[in-house]
Amino acid sequence: MSKTYMRLAYSFRNRMIIIFFAIIIVPFLLFAYYAHIKSIEGISNANSTFSMSYLQQAKTNFEAYLHELNDQINALIGNKDLQQALEQLPGTTVHEEDFTVSMVSTLYKNTPLIDALRVRVYPLDPSRYPTYMSTIGESDQLGREDWFIQSKMETLPRWHLFMPQKGRYARPLLSYIKRFSGLYDQKARGIIVADLSENQLQRFFTPSEKMKGQKFLVLDDKGEVLYDSSNNAWTGSPIPSDSFPAWTGQAAEGSKTIDIGGDAHLVTYVRMDSEPWLIVSLTPLHTLIGPINELNRLLVLFLVVYL
């Protein structure tokens, strides 16, 4: 009789435990999961809205800067002394030395007016100007480099990313390159290069100190990173994500959670109007949901104590 009673009691206790989990614990867990998902969605949407607003403003400011930079370069190209100096090839060493004095003096007076790290002006055939090239710290064989050859062939301005080289560039330089002609004869005169350093770009793309791990990127039309606010970690290479290029090719702007380098990131981007570039904001998702994870740990602790 006692054994039968114990079996019934044991069976009744098991049923009560199952009913307890079904009525109390399971709804609690479902509600906690639903609240977790909605919290992440709400935080992500809020951050996306903020990031998009910031990127739109950064885009406006950056494009205004690029427009002003182009006007400043055009003003230098229109300088009469510069035009006259490049009008004819130097016939003798004396003429080339006179050219060097005139050109260096002209650049010294006018380049401080251009908002760039430095401005370089090259004749179309640098090998004919060894004294001048040596004076500005360049090789007279510069005309053999691929970027120079390509710039001579193109009539439209172009951008080139100069990666660090021993003895030349300590940091990446994003350079605006423009082949220019005579003011009246439209005959090609030379090539002007304006180098933009990190300081110029940081004025427009600076991550919030409150968002740990956030970074801003500028990408060209091929998906190569031209600027990385995080110490140029990805500069000169594509974003390490297979899904990113396909997604960003669909619209002028967007926001989405994407796996990058093995970690989930909230990615927001806008497409520029004046250049075929993207301005991108990357924020690690764990940075955004850190407070939620703390709350989840507190709920688990509460559940354990409750049980």
Side-chain angles (χ1 to χ4, degrees):
M1 184 68 180
S2 59
K3 291 183 178 180
T4 302
Y5 177 78
M6 291 297 295
R7 283 197 300 267
L8 291 175
Y10 184 76
S11 177
F12 178 76
R13 185 187 66 177
N14 289 344
R15 292 193 185 96
M16 290 302 297
I17 291 176
I18 294 174
I19 294 173
F20 174 77
F21 270 98
I23 296 178
I24 305 298
I25 304 301
V26 173
F28 178 83
L29 293 176
L30 291 176
F31 175 77
Y33 176 76
Y34 178 80
H36 175 77
I37 296 300
K38 287 299 180 180
S39 297
I40 293 178
E41 181 180 336
I43 292 177
S44 297
N45 290 339
N47 185 269
S48 296
T49 302
F50 173 78
S51 296
M52 185 64 70
S53 177
Y54 180 92
L55 291 181
Q56 290 288 359
Q57 186 61 51
K59 167 189 168 182
T60 301
N61 295 338
F62 187 49
E63 289 193 326
Y65 165 74
L66 295 181
H67 179 75
E68 184 177 0
L69 176 66
N70 185 65
D71 289 343
Q72 294 168 350
I73 290 175
N74 287 338
L76 177 59
I77 291 174
N79 184 278
K80 292 183 179 180
D81 294 333
L82 183 142
Q83 287 281 335
Q84 291 175 359
L86 291 168
E87 189 171 358
Q88 295 180 349
L89 293 172
T92 65
T93 302
V94 174
H95 290 161
E96 202 260 325
E97 291 176 351
D98 291 340
F99 165 85
T100 300
V101 173
S102 175
M103 180 63 72
V104 171
S105 175
T106 300
L107 295 178
Y108 179 79
K109 294 177 182 177
N110 293 277
T111 53
L113 303 177
I114 299 178
D115 188 5
L117 175 65
R118 64 174 180 174
V119 178
R120 298 171 281 165
V121 177
Y122 302 118
L124 292 179
D125 186 1
S127 63
R128 302 287 297 272
Y129 300 82
T131 303
Y132 171 68
M133 297 300 291
S134 176
T135 301
I136 64 175
E138 297 281 2
S139 170
D140 59 0
Q141 302 302 310
L142 183 69
R144 298 181 179 180
E145 296 189 12
D146 293 339
W147 71 267
F148 195 94
I149 295 173
Q150 186 176 355
S151 299
K152 286 176 61 176
M153 297 171 57
E154 296 182 357
T155 57
L156 296 177
R158 58 187 297 265
W159 290 88
H160 184 78
L161 180 64
F162 290 95
M163 295 302 292
Q165 297 180 11
K166 186 176 181 180
R168 297 189 68 181
Y169 317 114
R171 306 287 290 178
L173 291 177
L174 182 59
S175 301
Y176 182 68
I177 305 174
K178 190 172 188 177
R179 193 194 78 179
F180 61 93
S181 306
L183 297 179
Y184 306 106
D185 57 11
Q186 297 302 309
K187 182 180 179 180
R189 289 280 193 270
I191 293 175
I192 188 167
V193 181
D195 299 322
L196 307 187
S197 67
E198 293 172 84
N199 291 336
Q200 266 85 30
L201 299 174
Q202 283 174 353
R203 291 183 300 181
F204 309 101
F205 314 111
T206 303
S208 172
E209 295 180 358
K210 297 181 180 180
M211 287 293 181
K212 186 177 180 180
Q214 185 186 34
K215 67 162 64 181
F216 290 103
L217 307 172
V218 178
L219 279 71
D220 65 10
D221 55 339
K222 299 178 182 178
E224 180 177 315
V225 178
L226 301 176
Y227 170 73
D228 181 347
S229 65
S230 181
N231 202 29
N232 285 300
W234 294 345
T235 301
S237 60
I239 291 181
S241 172
D242 295 332
S243 59
F244 182 83
W247 169 58
T248 55
Q250 298 175 0
E253 61 182 45
S255 184
K256 187 178 181 181
T257 300
I258 295 179
D259 183 82
I260 298 178
D263 295 323
H265 287 72
L266 180 63
V267 182
T268 306
Y269 78 91
V270 295
R271 192 176 301 277
M272 293 181 59
D273 298 327
S274 60
E275 299 290 343
W277 296 350
L278 295 180
I279 304 175
V280 183
S281 168
L282 297 182
T283 306
L285 197 60
H286 64 80
T287 299
L288 300 175
I289 65 175
I292 298 178
N293 290 334
E294 290 291 335
L295 179 60
N296 288 339
R297 283 190 284 269
L298 180 61
L299 290 175
V300 171
L301 178 61
F302 170 78
L303 184 60
V304 170
V305 173
Y306 182 71
L307 290 175

